[in-house]
Amino acid sequence: MTKWLVKTEESVYSIDRFQSDKKTVWEGVRNYQARNYLRAMQKGDEVLVYHSNSDPTAIVGLAQVRLTAFADPSQFDPKSEFFDPKASKEAPRWFCPEFGFVKKFKRPLSLEHLKGQSDLKGMVLLQRGSRLSVQPVTDKEFTLILKLAE
DNA sequence: GCCAACGTTGGC
DNA sequence: GCCAACGTTGGC
């Protein structure tokens, strides 16, 4: 099974909020590469949750795919900030899975800390200019991250 | 708030 | 299909 990482701005949707919601539909992703990854997610896949634009920016917890991706309802809603006039119910452009909350890490792993791990040099998150908000994570990276976090 | 990096749009 | 202009992301 593939492992993943998703970004969220703490001020927009935090790990604490996710913890109290217990599950969440990961809507609003509007980037094709990220969308393709969302669609590739399988039920049960494990997903690292990362706080971007936060202090500190860090991997803060773990989620699991509950439902594979379906048409993101926000693309059809003219009142939504994620509304896409080019999308239709017949031909949706954007998709979202549903995640279940698994845990909040005892120790959030800051970007700075992650950069110091030589075994994580290849991580998509750590590549220069990497902005992708949904990323695959290798098994090796995933195992190490869990070890560091717990 | 700045700005580098990258993605998207649209004229041609 | 190219590419300039513009928009967004996200670290700092």
Side-chain angles (χ1 to χ4, degrees):
Chain A
M1 259 189 309
T2 314
K3 319 290 188 195
W4 308 95
L5 178 145
V6 296
K7 296 179 183 174
T8 178
E9 294 190 38
E10 188 174 16
S11 61
V12 175
Y13 193 82
S14 69
I15 190 77
D16 289 336
R17 172 92 184 280
F18 186 19
Q19 183 164 29
S20 67
D21 288 349
K22 301 200 173 54
K23 58 179 184 171
T24 188
V25 169
W26 209 256
E27 63 177 20
V29 171
R30 295 293 180 268
N31 169 283
Y32 287 103
Q33 198 178 349
R35 180 203 67 181
N36 294 342
Y37 284 138
L38 287 178
R39 285 205 290 199
M41 290 182 179
Q42 298 294 316
K43 190 174 174 187
D45 279 2
E46 292 173 289
V47 184
L48 298 166
V49 178
Y50 175 83
H51 277 170
S52 60
N53 276 321
S54 312
D55 189 20
T57 57
I59 299 175
V60 291
L62 186 64
Q64 198 161 26
V65 177
R66 292 182 90 240
L67 295 176
T68 54
F70 51 93
D72 182 338
S74 65
Q75 70 193 304
F76 308 124
D77 177 5
K79 290 192 290 280
S80 168
E81 61 173 313
F82 302 123
F83 177 63
D84 183 348
K86 291 180 184 155
S88 66
K89 300 239 165 145
E90 297 71 36
R93 287 179 136 196
W94 307 111
F95 294 82
C96 54
E98 183 176 270
F99 296 150
F101 176 83
V102 176
K103 67 172 134 186
K104 180 177 170 179
F105 288 152
K106 290 194 190 88
R107 280 179 289 162
L109 299 175
S110 71
L111 194 60
E112 198 186 0
H113 184 58
L114 294 168
K115 282 178 179 165
Q117 300 293 324
S118 58
D119 287 344
L120 296 179
K121 275 208 179 74
M123 251 192 112
V124 178
L125 183 71
L126 303 183
Q127 303 314 302
R128 206 170 121 85
S130 170
R131 304 188 316 177
L132 200 57
S133 64
V134 180
Q135 316 174 349
V137 174
T138 68
D139 286 342
K140 237 179 87 183
E141 291 160 356
F142 185 83
T143 305
L144 177 58
I145 285 163
L146 279 204
K147 205 174 90 190
L148 294 170
E150 297 290 311

